[in-house]
Amino acid sequence: MIPRLILVVTVLTAASNPGHAESVRSMVKKACGADYMRVCAAVPPTGDGMKALQCLIDHRKVVSKKCQDALLAAKVSQETQAAPQPAATPRNNWAAQ
């Protein structure tokens, strides 16, 4: 639980800074690199990487806990940027959806 909280706080901090999208992208890339190669290698990481990211999200039930946490933190960051509001507590079962 503590690592997930630290990850979410890190992403929210990055979201409040210029270049937050690159920080979030870098974090997901680092946390999910091995999972990408294992489950999404057929999806080229071209352009903005959205197809590769969508593949990881589509396979979130089978990626590592570290990658799940990074994907959740990226989702929280995206939601925070889309509609600024107090940060919501991430759902513990997000990866199981």
Side-chain angles (χ1 to χ4, degrees), residues 1 3-5 7-8 11 27 31-32 63-75 94-95:
M1 180 64 173
R4 178 177 283 188
L5 178 61
L7 188 60
V8 171
V11 170
M27 179 194 59
C32 299
V63 299
S64 67
K65 177 82 167 98
K66 183 177 175 182
C67 183
Q68 289 175 359
D69 289 347
L71 293 171
L72 177 60
K75 179 181 181 226
W94 179 80

Side-chain angles (χ1 to χ4, degrees), residues 7-8 10-32 53 69-78 81:
L7 188 60
V8 171
T10 300
V11 170
L12 290 176
T13 301
S16 67
N17 296 323
H20 76 279
E22 191 59 38
S23 297
V24 170
R25 182 177 307 176
S26 176
M27 179 194 59
V28 170
K29 187 176 178 179
K30 182 177 178 182
C32 299
L53 178 61
D69 289 347
L71 293 171
L72 177 60
K75 179 181 181 226
V76 169
S77 175
Q78 180 184 22
Q81 288 300 308

